[in-house]
Structure formats: structure tokens, C-alpha cells
Amino acid sequence: MHTLKGRDFLSLSDITPTELASVLKTAHEQKRSWAREETSTPLSGKAVALIFQKPSMRTRVSFELACTRLGAHPVVMSGTDGAFSRGETIHDTTKVLERYCEAIVIRTFAQSMVEEIAEVASVPVINALTDEHHPCQGLADLLTIDEHLGKLEGVRMAYVGDGNNMAHTYLLGGALAGMSVSIACPDGFQPLPDVVEQARSIAAETGATIELHTDPVAGVDGAQVVITDTWASMGQEDEHDARLGAFEPFRVDTALMAHAADGAIFMHCLPAHRGEEVVDEVIDAPYSVVFDEAENRLHAQKALLSLILG
């Protein structure tokens, strides 16, 4: 088993293909162990700071439970109750938190903030979502694909929608796993070029392929996994109406799913805006695995915390 002891996890590019496989193997084992009602508390006596500058349900609940079930104490801070929200500098707040906690998990707006905290902190820092990356969701999604299709390498995964933090996460995660990654976004909403380049660099080593499309049908063609995300993420509410026109052709409906491979699964990190990026007939279909995906946040994060703090 490859340990990640003491390491930061700011994006999926922070781990190697071998380390990714190790996290997923650990998550599979922990999920099976939990189903057998076996308990283990390898992080007993440790504390993890969980900072939520952006609202959260799945991330907060899954991280709190992951800490508790591993024996660690979750210290949750949200809204205006302290960390980074009252004018105290990132440096000073981080230096205080590292005296109390063995790790810092933060969900915030800017990737640059997470990177600054990691530079200051002497304890591991985990990115629980920023504007550029959502690596913990990526681990859960790869775990879900592996669970349903029995493999990752060679699987064709299509993401349809905004070239946002989720698109970046699938580019890097798919490249690490040796997948065929297809990203379809409207003109003007493509992923960041440096993230695409990073994914292509990883793909050159793993045998993965990276495709970018502006036609959703071409993007989904033959895909074994079809994924989408909200068209206006948190913090982009003011852009919602303006985005509707551009994203309308990228709605995942039964007509678009018909271009995917036989037996394809549908995924969405939630929350879903039903009727916008996905219709009820798709998200409620037997081939939709969105709630397995949500559950797997817990198992993937337990594995990650075990390997970083164990």
C-alpha cells in the first residue's frame, strides 16, 4: 500500500497513477468493511480542521463522518465563526490551526488560497473544493466508475457542460487512470489551457487520451460514462440567465444519452438543477448512479485521510 503520509492534496495532479490506485483500493476495502459492520479507528486521538467558506452538504457530512468513523475529531468552522473570515491573515490563522489539528481541510473560492495555506502549514492540507479543482469529488467519481464498470483504464468518460473545476478534475483524474477523456463545452467555456496541458502530459505516460469538443453529440459519442455539472456554480449566480443560451444544447437528455455506448452510466456530483443541465428521465433512470457517487464521497475521503494521517 502506498502511503501519502504528511502530503498535501490540492489537486489530482498531486498524486501519481500508482498512488491513485492505492487510494481507490483502500476505499473499496473500507467500503466493504463498513458493509460488514466492522469498525476501525486508526486516527484515534487526532483532530482535523474542516473549514467551509462555501456552503456544503455532501462535502461537510461526508468529511465529518469520515473523521468520526476513523476515530479522529472533526473541528468544523463555517460562515463567520472564525477561520479566515474576520480579517486575520492566512498566515496567522494557519499557524494557529496547525497547533491544534493534524490536518486542515478547506472548501473555499480560490485555488490560490488553498495553495497559500499549504505553503504556510506544517500539517497536510486537503482541497475540499475551489474554483479550479475538486479532487475529493474526483476520487469518489473514479471509485464509482470502477465499482460499476469493473475497471478505469480504457473506459471512455464524457463530461458535458462548463469547463469548470469538475472538468479540470475529470481531465486530471481520467489521465491518471488511463481513461479516454472527452470534454464537451460551449465556445468560451473551455477548461483552462494549463490544466489541459497538464492532463495531456500525464496521459502521455499512462496511455490515456484527451479530447476537447464544442459539440455535445461528438463529445458523448460511444461514451461508457456521461457526466455533467450545474451550468452556473456557486458564486456565479449572477451569470445564470446569461449562461442558459450557451448551455442549452448541452443539456443531458435521453436524446443525448442515445449517443453513448450501450450500458453507459450517468453521473452528476450534485446538486442538480433538474430541467437545466439534466432532465428527470436521465437522472432518475436505472443507469443513473448519482447516489452511489454521493455515498462514495465518504469512502474515498476515509481512504484519503487514512493514507495521509495514518
Side-chain angles (χ1 to χ4, degrees):
M1 192 64 64
H2 290 261
T3 178
L4 299 174
K5 194 172 182 60
R7 298 258 296 274
D8 296 323
F9 185 60
L10 309 186
S11 91
L12 280 167
S13 63
D14 285 337
I15 58 176
T16 66
T18 303
E19 289 167 342
L20 171 64
S22 187
V23 174
L24 298 181
K25 181 181 178 184
T26 302
H28 278 303
E29 290 170 351
Q30 291 186 341
K31 185 171 183 177
R32 287 192 292 267
S33 176
W34 184 255
R36 294 192 297 268
E37 300 185 354
E38 297 170 357
T39 58
S40 174
T41 55
L43 303 188
S44 179
K46 297 183 186 296
V48 178
L50 304 178
I51 303 168
F52 295 95
Q53 291 199 311
K54 294 184 82 169
S56 173
M57 190 272 273
R58 276 159 293 279
T59 300
R60 177 169 175 168
V61 173
S62 56
F63 258 116
E64 279 198 62
L65 285 176
C67 290
T68 301
R69 290 179 181 178
L70 292 169
H73 180 75
V75 182
V76 182
M77 291 162 276
S78 61
T80 57
D81 65 357
F84 308 116
S85 62
R86 293 185 302 183
E88 191 167 345
T89 65
I90 290 174
H91 176 275
D92 292 355
T93 303
T94 302
K95 299 309 287 183
V96 171
L97 287 175
E98 71 181 18
R99 300 294 181 100
Y100 300 141
C101 300
E102 277 72 27
I104 299 171
V105 176
I106 180 164
R107 177 182 172 97
T108 188
F109 293 90
Q111 180 72 14
S112 59
M113 181 179 183
V114 175
E115 292 171 356
E116 186 176 349
I117 294 168
E119 197 171 317
V120 173
S122 61
V123 298
V125 175
I126 296 173
N127 177 0
L129 180 141
T130 67
D131 57 342
E132 293 187 12
H133 297 283
H134 198 357
C136 294
Q137 180 72 55
L139 292 178
D141 291 1
L142 293 174
L143 178 66
T144 306
I145 296 168
D146 194 26
E147 208 171 50
H148 281 272
L149 301 186
K151 63 177 183 177
L152 293 174
E153 189 173 354
V155 168
R156 181 169 173 79
M157 172 175 66
Y159 170 83
V160 180
D162 192 10
N164 58 10
N165 51 2
M166 289 313 308
H168 298 160
T169 296
Y170 296 127
L171 279 164
L172 296 174
L176 282 170
M179 302 175 77
S180 168
V181 183
S182 172
I183 304 288
C185 310
D187 275 329
F189 296 93
Q190 295 289 315
L192 292 174
D194 63 323
V195 177
V196 175
E197 186 55 38
Q198 203 173 15
R200 286 185 167 143
S201 175
I202 296 169
E205 297 179 9
T206 63
T209 60
I210 305 294
E211 301 172 18
L212 298 183
H213 299 276
T214 53
D215 176 0
V217 172
V220 166
D221 186 37
Q224 295 157 278
V225 183
V226 178
I227 312 177
T228 190
D229 188 19
T230 182
W231 291 342
S233 300
M234 277 182 282
Q236 297 173 326
E237 289 81 1
D238 292 346
E239 301 174 31
H240 177 266
D241 292 346
R243 284 172 168 249
L244 288 182
F247 283 93
E248 185 82 18
F250 290 78
R251 176 176 296 116
V252 180
D253 54 20
T254 52
L256 187 59
M257 284 298 296
H259 295 277
D262 290 341
I265 59 175
F266 172 76
M267 299 176 66
H268 191 306
C269 62
L270 303 176
H273 293 75
R274 289 168 177 255
E276 290 191 4
E277 73 271 10
V278 62
V279 298
D280 290 346
E281 290 77 9
V282 170
I283 196 169
D284 294 329
Y287 53 75
S288 171
V289 297
V290 297
F291 298 114
D292 290 341
E293 186 184 358
E295 178 189 338
N296 282 339
R297 293 295 306 276
L298 171 63
H299 306 296
Q301 285 155 196
K302 277 182 67 182
L304 183 67
L305 288 169
S306 297
L307 293 171
I308 287 178
L309 293 178

